[in-house]
Amino acid sequence: MASALDIVSTLNGPQTGIEYASRDEITALQTERMKNTLRHAYYNVPHYKKAFEEKGVHPDDFRELKDLTLFPFTDKSILRANYPFGMFAVPREQISRIHASSGTTGQPTVVGYTRNDIETWATLVARSLHAGGVRPGDRVQVTFGYGLFTGGLGLHYGVEKLGATVIPTSGGQTDRQLQVMRDFQPDAIVGTPSYMLNVLDRMRAEGMDPRDTPMRVGIFGAEPWTEGMRQDLEQGFGLDATDIYGLSEVMGPGVAQECVETKDGLTLWEDHFYPEILDPVTLEPVPDGEVGELVITPMTKEAFPVIRYRTHDLTRLLPGTARSMRRLDRISARNDDMIILRGVNCFPSQFEELIVEDKNLRPRYQCVLSKRGRMDHLTLVVEHAPGRTADEIAHSQLLLRKAVKDRIGVSVDVDIRDQVDSGEGKAKRIVDLRN
Ligand code: DLL
């Protein structure tokens, strides 16, 4: 639950509150909150009771933070097995919102929030926006999609919580975004970095000067991006660009945020999220400061507690700079085969499900990632069944494009061939030609 302290530190600006707490204070708070979280999960989510018992641990075995390693991990597969509401820890009538993100089989991962969870989330997004340079009274254009994705509504509530003005344009419809930008004169913009580069190109193509807008601040995330993209966005729009990180299973955006004064990686809001960096194969901790898989345990969630959630994101933990809390290095890769296209997460298996529905196609395929202008682009290269006519192939191509758009929510190209070599042994499903 958000405490008064959280809000003070968001709104009173520099050097006050929990964001500047000492390491001892943070550790004490984490230990207390972790104890409560382990108990909450054990007593209210059947999966956790069973999983703890199978590992021979009880919440009372947790005395200090290092004891967390005694407890089992949570992965997407567990959430899927309990689809849709089996992991909720409160009665259904206390759930005030549901979000979802894509899963490996096309079945989404469903997450729920109580009123307190929504309040905590809004507070952490407000804190993130503030750290990124947004101030009360600013106008903030939110170009993340609104809906089951946590980006749009997550940012929306945070902007309001900070006391800024939200302009909820949602994603896409670039012409409309440009008109809003021209007419409403936002001070800040949030969205995926690849989409913002697209907006930049469109403005230039239409003879607009992107530096003409009053936008001072850009907060970008939901997908990996690079220092080079930061330079292009900062110079192109004439603003300060920072990185925002989060994932729906752990909360949504606002788990970590880069501070505008240092732009040196993302401060993890350690009063709410406990990080571990593990070797993805052995699942043992890596030495301090080394890269590994980020595992997060949120410590203040009511509706949807998750213990040791495997994010599959690769990063390392760095000491605090602008804040006393530790930082995550820019997240540049994942250790599984999730593809992120304009903020939408998808897995090769989701495309496969659509491919096998068409008798003209064979489940021999590859997902080829490339750059189209500045945006990531996906081409599905698929093998057709023997003896198909050119007309049948053309029809299947149209159908598959449409099915991907309608059911997965991304636009792709489809290239149907006589033969697709997806590698010997374990099929190589992703071909990355972006660099
Ligand atoms: O993408 C939440 C979000 C919305 C974050 C808006 C930031 C801004 P999911 O759809 O569950 O949630 O996807 C989570 O996206 O595990 C990462 O692989 C990736 N991701 C998110 N933020 C970043 C980032 C939202 N700043 C997955 N850098 C995560 C790199 C990111 N990858």
Side-chain angles (χ1 to χ4, degrees), residues 76 100-102 144 149-152 155 191 220-225 243-249 252-254 266 311-313 330-334 338 340 343-345:
K76 249 192 162 72
S101 86
S102 325
F144 284 120
F149 175 51
T150 52
L155 264 300
F220 307 123
E223 63 184 10
W225 53 307
D243 196 0
I244 185 164
Y245 171 75
L247 60 163
S248 46
E249 295 85 354
L266 306 107
T311 67
H312 293 279
D313 291 321
R330 182 186 279 289
I331 290 139
S332 55
R334 295 179 52 87
M338 189 167 90
I340 306 181
V344 178
N345 302 349

Side-chain angles (χ1 to χ4, degrees), residues 85-142:
F85 304 138
M87 298 295 279
F88 288 5
V90 298
R92 280 275 302 286
E93 59 278 11
Q94 288 177 30
I95 300 285
S96 66
R97 197 192 302 166
I98 283 168
H99 281 285
S101 86
S102 325
T104 41
T105 63
Q107 188 175 63
T109 307
V110 178
V111 298
Y113 305 78
T114 62
R115 289 175 74 90
N116 282 331
D117 291 332
I118 296 284
E119 179 64 20
T120 305
W121 185 15
T123 302
L124 289 175
V125 173
R127 190 198 281 180
S128 300
L129 290 164
H130 190 272
V134 181
R135 292 293 173 265
D138 281 345
R139 279 185 286 246
V140 186
Q141 186 163 339
V142 176

Side-chain angles (χ1 to χ4, degrees), residues 1-8 18 29 33 120 123 127 271-272:
M1 214 186 310
S3 69
L5 203 60
D6 296 315
I7 294 162
V8 166
I18 190 74
L29 184 66
R33 288 182 165 180
T120 305
T123 302
R127 190 198 281 180
D271 47 341
H272 294 265

Side-chain angles (χ1 to χ4, degrees), residues 32 52 85 120 144 183 264 371 379:
E32 198 49 41
F52 286 15
F85 304 138
T120 305
F144 284 120
D183 297 348
D264 57 355
K371 282 273 176 209
T379 305

Side-chain angles (χ1 to χ4, degrees), residues 121-382:
W121 185 15
T123 302
L124 289 175
V125 173
R127 190 198 281 180
S128 300
L129 290 164
H130 190 272
V134 181
R135 292 293 173 265
D138 281 345
R139 279 185 286 246
V140 186
Q141 186 163 339
V142 176
T143 71
F144 284 120
Y146 280 61
L148 288 174
F149 175 51
T150 52
L153 285 164
L155 264 300
H156 184 103
Y157 277 63
V159 173
E160 290 187 347
K161 185 82 190 166
L162 182 64
T165 308
V166 64
I167 308 175
T169 46
S170 190
Q173 291 194 298
T174 306
D175 290 338
R176 182 110 177 89
Q177 303 275 4
L178 295 190
Q179 187 194 348
V180 164
M181 225 176 261
R182 225 173 5 230
D183 297 348
F184 300 173
Q185 301 274 298
D187 305 287
I189 191 153
V190 299
T192 58
S194 58
Y195 183 65
M196 286 313 296
L197 284 172
N198 205 30
V199 170
L200 190 67
D201 290 343
R202 179 74 75 86
M203 285 174 103
R204 287 180 176 143
E206 303 212 340
M208 289 167 74
D209 181 354
R211 297 180 69 94
D212 257 1
T213 78
M215 294 193 301
R216 237 183 35 243
V217 173
I219 297 185
F220 307 123
E223 63 184 10
W225 53 307
T226 58
E227 275 308 309
M229 286 166 84
R230 190 205 307 265
Q231 301 269 310
D232 287 355
L233 289 166
E234 291 199 325
Q235 283 160 18
F237 286 110
L239 47 66
D240 280 309
T242 56
D243 196 0
I244 185 164
Y245 171 75
L247 60 163
S248 46
E249 295 85 354
V250 161
M251 180 177 80
V255 171
Q257 164 69 43
E258 196 166 42
C259 295
V260 68
E261 57 270 49
T262 43
K263 295 184 189 164
D264 57 355
L266 306 107
T267 300
L268 179 74
W269 303 128
E270 281 194 88
D271 47 341
H272 294 265
F273 306 101
Y274 183 78
E276 298 171 79
I277 304 283
L278 306 181
D279 178 315
V281 178
T282 64
L283 295 176
E284 292 297 322
V286 299
D288 244 9
E290 284 191 16
V291 174
E293 180 180 331
L294 175 65
V295 171
I296 302 183
T297 306
M299 295 171 289
T300 49
K301 285 173 75 188
E302 293 183 344
F304 193 79
V306 280
I307 307 300
R308 305 188 81 198
Y309 188 73
R310 291 192 59 186
T311 67
H312 293 279
D313 291 321
L314 298 175
T315 182
R316 59 196 177 122
L317 270 175
L318 302 166
T321 49
R323 303 291 187 277
S324 50
M325 295 179 194
R326 287 176 292 174
R327 288 168 298 142
L328 299 177
D329 204 359
R330 182 186 279 289
I331 290 139
S332 55
R334 295 179 52 87
N335 64 5
D336 61 9
D337 57 1
M338 189 167 90
I339 298 167
I340 306 181
L341 270 183
R342 275 146 264 152
V344 178
N345 302 349
C346 32
F347 288 88
S349 53
Q350 284 176 278
F351 301 116
E352 186 170 320
E353 280 180 7
L354 303 180
I355 291 168
V356 298
E357 285 175 11
D358 184 339
K359 284 199 262 331
N360 290 334
L361 303 178
R362 302 181 64 196
R364 290 174 62 89
Y365 68 97
Q366 285 191 312
C367 305
V368 180
L369 284 164
S370 59
K371 282 273 176 209
R372 183 163 291 177
R374 318 261 215 153
M375 305 278 281
D376 288 346
H377 185 75
L378 177 66
T379 305
L380 289 178
V381 182
V382 190

